[in-house]
Amino acid sequence: MYGIPSIFLNARRKTHPPTNEDKEEALIQYHPIIPNSPKFVMTYSLPVIGVKTIVSNPATLESTSLVVAYGLDIFLTRRSPSNTFDVLSDSFNKPFLIITMSTVFIAVIYTNRKIKSNEFKKVWKVKEKKEEEKKIK
């Protein structure tokens, strides 16, 4: 099984070398022959024998597809166009995320209790009464 990157199939490829604008849009120069690279082989050099059907469906990860080939053999692989965007990197600061989420959780609980307390209701009743008095005058 061979996966060809869409950059080689883009119909907007130019016959002349790409300009800076073309490079920003990830357009490459047209070549009549698609390059053969071992990176394009989806089966990781494993033989998949008797393939009758190939099915591709989107995965829950952003810009990722699951590809299944079956027949005599069954082969499943995950494909993404360049990088997986919604997977955290190894350098991601997980303790900071946990501290931030805990702080937000505590703030929500504190705010919820404060709103339900009588003090908060009294303050709002005083403000409401003053506004009603202003409307009446």
Side-chain angles (χ1 to χ4, degrees), residues 121 123-133:
K121 289 180 182 178
V123 171
W124 275 98
K125 285 181 183 178
V126 170
K127 287 184 179 180
E128 288 174 1
K129 287 180 183 178
K130 288 180 182 179
E131 288 177 9
E132 288 176 9
E133 290 174 0

Side-chain angles (χ1 to χ4, degrees), residues 80-123:
S80 54
S82 57
N83 292 323
T84 50
F85 302 103
D86 56 354
V87 177
L88 298 177
S89 66
D90 292 337
S91 64
F92 185 77
N93 193 349
K94 293 174 187 168
F96 182 72
L97 176 65
I98 291 170
I99 290 169
T100 303
M101 293 303 296
S102 301
T103 304
V104 169
F105 182 72
I106 291 168
V108 167
I109 290 174
Y110 173 77
T111 306
N112 190 16
R113 289 186 179 171
K114 190 72 172 171
I115 289 173
K116 290 181 179 180
S117 73
N118 288 330
E119 295 174 17
F120 190 79
K121 289 180 182 178
K122 288 178 187 176
V123 171

